[in-house]
Amino acid sequence: MANKEKKGFSASAYAVCVSIVLAVVLIVLSIFTVATRYTAFSPEKVAQAYVDGIVQTGDGYNSYKTTLVSKNQKYGDFIRNAYMSPYVNDGEEVKQADFVGTGSKEEQEAIDKVYNTMYAYYCELVRTDGWDNYDAVFDKYFSKLAEVRHEVYGDDFMNTDYMFGALEANVQTYADSLTGTKRTFTPDNKKVLRDETIGAYQVMFGDIQKVETENIVDGKKQTVTEEQPVYKLTTEVKSCE
């Protein structure tokens, strides 16, 4: 009678099984990562993100952050390379106005003048070209910014940080004009630093409701009930087919 072969632990078979399991896990994680990070793989997500951005911030600048690229990671590089590079002038030999970096009143006034002048121009671009034509908006905005910087500062310095600072300040101001802003307080919470503002969305779509908010009462920040216009905008994308 033939002897039965004893069955024991097979290291090679175990290694193969582990390799297969790890491969499956890596594939699943890769699919999940791509699906969650790259909205471009889903037309519906692209459309939803774009519309939500416009509804919430009132412009296409922030919308493109979530639709053109992965989680905003390359959006800045795209703008730098395609639109800012012709205006960059930040070499060591380029002199800036004497007040730059001093934190003086003169510097703050110059910053405010540039931002305010560019904000009026930004609103004009949104009205005439619109963010659907982002190519024209970026081109015209940075060209105008270089002119305004020279007029106000008296120098020709320009780098990408300065350009982003002006543009994103204007974008935020425009968004605030639509959505309104909340009341802010001094660090010690004893005084109102900036009162709340009512935005265009609140005027157009809001209903007066009693809401809990914060305000200064008897010299201290407290929760109070006030009547304010409240709105809620929702979007839905059913299919891009």
Side-chain angles (χ1 to χ4, degrees):
M1 183 174 179
N3 291 330
K4 292 184 178 180
E5 183 179 352
K6 292 183 178 181
K7 295 182 179 180
F9 175 78
S10 175
S12 60
Y14 178 77
V16 170
C17 291
V18 170
S19 298
I20 293 174
V21 170
L22 287 175
V24 171
V25 170
L26 289 173
I27 291 172
V28 171
L29 287 175
S30 297
I31 294 173
F32 176 78
T33 299
V34 169
T36 54
R37 287 171 61 84
Y38 292 85
T39 58
F41 283 90
S42 171
E44 286 78 12
K45 288 184 178 180
V46 170
Q48 185 77 52
Y50 182 77
V51 174
D52 280 344
I54 291 178
V55 168
Q56 301 303 326
T57 65
D59 66 84
Y61 176 77
N62 289 295
S63 297
Y64 285 129
K65 285 184 177 181
T66 54
T67 58
L68 288 183
V69 293
S70 162
K71 297 292 186 181
N72 311 349
Q73 290 179 10
K74 303 296 182 182
Y75 189 50
D77 290 339
F78 167 68
I79 298 172
R80 289 185 187 93
N81 296 332
Y83 303 104
M84 290 182 171
S85 58
Y87 305 102
V88 171
N89 187 32
D90 59 353
E92 293 182 0
E93 73 284 356
V94 180
K95 294 183 178 180
Q96 299 190 58
D98 293 337
F99 56 75
V100 172
T102 63
S104 63
K105 180 180 179 181
E106 183 181 11
E107 182 179 24
Q108 189 57 55
E109 288 176 347
I111 293 172
D112 291 344
K113 187 171 183 179
V114 170
Y115 281 20
N116 291 338
T117 302
M118 290 307 302
Y119 179 66
Y121 186 66
Y122 175 81
C123 292
E124 180 183 335
L125 290 177
V126 172
R127 183 175 63 255
T128 57
D129 292 297
W131 276 105
D132 285 345
N133 189 4
Y134 63 84
D135 191 64
V137 172
F138 283 133
D139 269 338
K140 294 179 181 179
Y141 184 90
F142 295 127
S143 176
K144 180 69 172 179
L145 179 59
E147 295 177 8
V148 174
R149 163 86 187 207
H150 179 77
E151 292 172 1
V152 176
Y153 282 64
D155 64 31
D156 295 310
F157 177 87
M158 187 72 68
N159 64 12
T160 58
D161 287 342
Y162 184 82
M163 286 187 265
F164 271 124
L167 175 62
E168 295 193 342
N170 291 164
V171 169
Q172 186 60 55
T173 301
Y174 187 81
D176 290 344
S177 73
L178 297 176
T179 62
T181 60
K182 293 183 178 181
R183 188 179 289 121
T184 59
F185 305 89
T186 55
D188 60 7
N189 290 326
K190 293 183 177 180
K191 294 182 179 180
V192 173
L193 184 64
R194 180 185 177 188
D195 212 346
E196 64 185 12
T197 62
I198 303 299
Y201 284 171
Q202 291 165 290
V203 175
M204 295 170 63
F205 308 114
D207 295 322
I208 300 298
Q209 299 179 19
K210 290 184 177 181
V211 298
E212 287 191 346
T213 186
E214 294 179 324
N215 206 344
I216 300 298
V217 179
D218 296 329
K220 296 186 296 183
K221 186 173 73 171
Q222 299 184 30
T223 300
V224 298
T225 300
E226 297 179 354
E227 289 189 343
Q228 296 181 4
V230 178
Y231 73 95
K232 182 178 181 181
L233 302 177
T234 59
T235 61
E236 180 181 3
V237 176
K238 295 182 178 180
S239 176
C240 291
E241 295 180 358

